[in-house]
Amino acid sequence: MKTVYFITSNEGKLKEAKTKLLGVDIEVVQKNLGYPEIQANALEDVAYFGVKHIQEKFNHPFILEDAGLFIDILDGFPGVYSAYVFYTVGCSGILKLLDGVNIDKRKACFRSVFAYGAPGKNPKFFIGECNGRISNREQGDHGFGYDPIFIPNGDTRTFAQMDTEEKNRFSHRGKSLEKLSEFFKKL
Ligand code: IMP
């Protein structure tokens, strides 16, 4: 069985990746190496620079991921700033920004970009998106980040009201991981 290191400090992402990649002959091992998240307009650029940074000091195959929440009525905010916004004002800050906004105007999209890096190789990218809407209040205890306020299309529950397997069935990360798992199967 091959080992692939997941460069992340986020236990939620790790759990989702391990669950999704269970049927693949790959062992996912967490590696908590920091890397600078550059200020860029696209998640792909953040992931690309992350890979380049890690490749300079880590001599094994690895994956890393950048994700973001893009809210229509806020012109895509917080988007690439999702981590900073979560750290500063959190879910309640987003709910305040959308205070009084009708449910059909609360459309949002979660995006996930996984990058696979290996020594001496160009990075490969695997992208997943999930459309949905921002709820009126926080609901659920599962997951992490903005999960309590995001309802994916096709369901009435937030991600935080779903277990890992259910969230993976809908989520941006479930979709990018699906593509990654197809890639791993051919590796
Ligand atoms: P990053 O990929 O760790 O930079 O994530 C950006 C921000 O979005 C962080 O605050 C995460 O907590 C949040 N985030 C990323 N993925 C998800 C998700 O699947 N659900 C909820 N929040 C997420």
Side-chain angles (χ1 to χ4, degrees), residues 13 37 65-67 82-83 86 110 144-147 167 172-173:
K13 287 186 181 185
E37 292 204 7
E65 192 231 25
D66 201 45
S82 293
F86 185 76
F110 252 125
F144 63 95
Y146 299 105
D147 280 347
K167 180 182 169 188
H172 49 309
R173 187 164 301 105

